[in-house]
Amino acid sequence: MLKILRIKTTGKVEAKDITDEVQKAIKGVEARLLNIYTPHTTCGLVINEDADPDVMKDIIEGLERLAPKNYPYKHREGNADAHIKSTITGCSLLIPVSEGRLMLGQWQGIFLMEFDGPRERKVYLTFI
Ligand code: ZN
């Protein structure tokens, strides 16, 4: 079973917390695992702390240090840094589900990482 979320991002670079949307989408669904997948090349999916927003700011800044925007990349579209950051963060997650709840830790949230926005991004939820 597949559900598709359409997530609008508002910034060029943004960590968008999608935990509530994902939790709503799995309500009433019988599954033990949830695969979350995004079919794009300049965004990513991560699980990390959603309590202190500075954590995601530090992660975005850390990725910027690894793949700075201003570097003489070969890719002519001008968004090579976004492709690299997307590769580092990855395009899918696998999360255990129990009794209709995501088995996330107390401080964990699910983030769509936008690296070349704003855009509308698709997120596929596959229940296993
Ligand atoms: Zn590109």
Side-chain angles (χ1 to χ4, degrees):
M1 182 177 164
L2 178 75
K3 285 189 182 179
I4 301 175
L5 301 179
R6 290 172 196 280
I7 309 290
K8 283 201 170 87
T9 59
T10 54
K12 175 80 179 164
V13 178
E14 178 182 1
K16 184 152 180 118
D17 191 335
I18 61 169
T19 313
D20 290 347
E21 279 120 305
V22 175
Q23 183 61 59
K24 260 182 232 154
I26 70 164
K27 211 173 179 185
V29 175
E30 279 213 19
R32 293 190 173 184
L33 278 174
L34 171 64
N35 175 253
I36 308 181
Y37 176 83
T38 189
H40 305 286
T41 59
T42 56
C43 71
L45 290 165
V46 303
I47 293 174
N48 215 288
E49 177 168 334
D50 66 358
D52 177 1
D54 281 343
V55 172
M56 293 317 294
K57 286 180 194 159
D58 285 338
I59 288 171
I60 286 171
E61 286 178 21
L63 290 168
E64 181 62 26
R65 286 194 296 276
L66 292 172
K69 175 87 186 139
N70 296 316
Y71 178 88
Y73 298 106
K74 294 174 182 65
H75 181 47
R76 289 179 174 259
E77 199 186 3
N79 60 355
D81 68 305
H83 288 291
I84 294 168
K85 290 162 187 163
S86 168
T87 302
I88 292 169
T89 55
C91 60
S92 78
L93 299 168
L94 197 58
I95 303 173
V97 177
S98 177
E99 296 174 357
R101 298 284 310 169
L102 298 167
M103 298 295 284
L104 292 171
Q106 183 181 1
W107 307 110
Q108 287 183 319
I110 305 163
F111 294 87
L112 174 77
M113 303 298 289
E114 176 61 81
F115 300 116
D116 195 22
R119 296 177 192 236
E120 183 178 276
R121 300 298 197 172
K122 280 184 282 195
V123 175
Y124 300 158
L125 307 180
T126 304
F127 303 95
I128 302 163

